[in-house]
Amino acid sequence: MKKQSNLIRRNKGQGMTEYIIIVALIAIAAIAVYQYFGQTVRNQTAAVSQELAGVNGSTSVTAAGTAAAAAATQAGTKDTLSTYGNQAGR
């Protein structure tokens, strides 16, 4: 009886560990996407908030386009792990 309860606990622990690994991988992917497109998203959000406030948001839209082009250029280059480390420190 005791062995069976230990086995059940180990299986639950294994499931939790797998869940944590999956969540960590999703977080790493989200950080990488935000690293490339973060400025674009911030500029687009600024443009939307300016338009909602009744102010012309065209400068933020232009800045978002510029940031998107820079992100696309950067995404096209082959990065190494050391390159990513240098970019994260910006």
Side-chain angles (χ1 to χ4, degrees), residues 40-61:
T40 304
V41 172
R42 282 191 294 271
N43 287 331
Q44 288 176 342
T45 305
V48 168
S49 65
Q50 287 175 346
E51 292 290 337
L52 286 174
V55 180
N56 186 358
S58 62
T59 55
S60 294
V61 171

Side-chain angles (χ1 to χ4, degrees), residues 2-12:
K2 211 172 203 183
K3 286 184 181 183
Q4 200 172 28
S5 65
N6 285 339
L7 183 61
I8 291 171
R9 274 191 236 141
R10 262 191 260 148
N11 286 341
K12 286 182 181 180

Side-chain angles (χ1 to χ4, degrees), residues 7-89:
L7 183 61
I8 291 171
R9 274 191 236 141
R10 262 191 260 148
N11 286 341
K12 286 182 181 180
Q14 179 183 357
M16 181 60 79
T17 302
E18 292 170 355
Y19 176 75
I20 290 170
I21 290 170
I22 291 170
V23 169
L25 290 174
I26 291 171
I28 290 169
I31 290 169
V33 168
Y34 188 77
Q35 179 71 29
Y36 283 118
F37 298 109
Q39 190 63 40
T40 304
V41 172
R42 282 191 294 271
N43 287 331
Q44 288 176 342
T45 305
V48 168
S49 65
Q50 287 175 346
E51 292 290 337
L52 286 174
V55 180
N56 186 358
S58 62
T59 55
S60 294
V61 171
T62 303
T66 304
T73 301
Q74 187 178 10
T77 62
K78 185 174 181 179
D79 289 336
T80 62
L81 188 57
S82 63
T83 308
Y84 178 74
N86 292 337
Q87 292 172 356

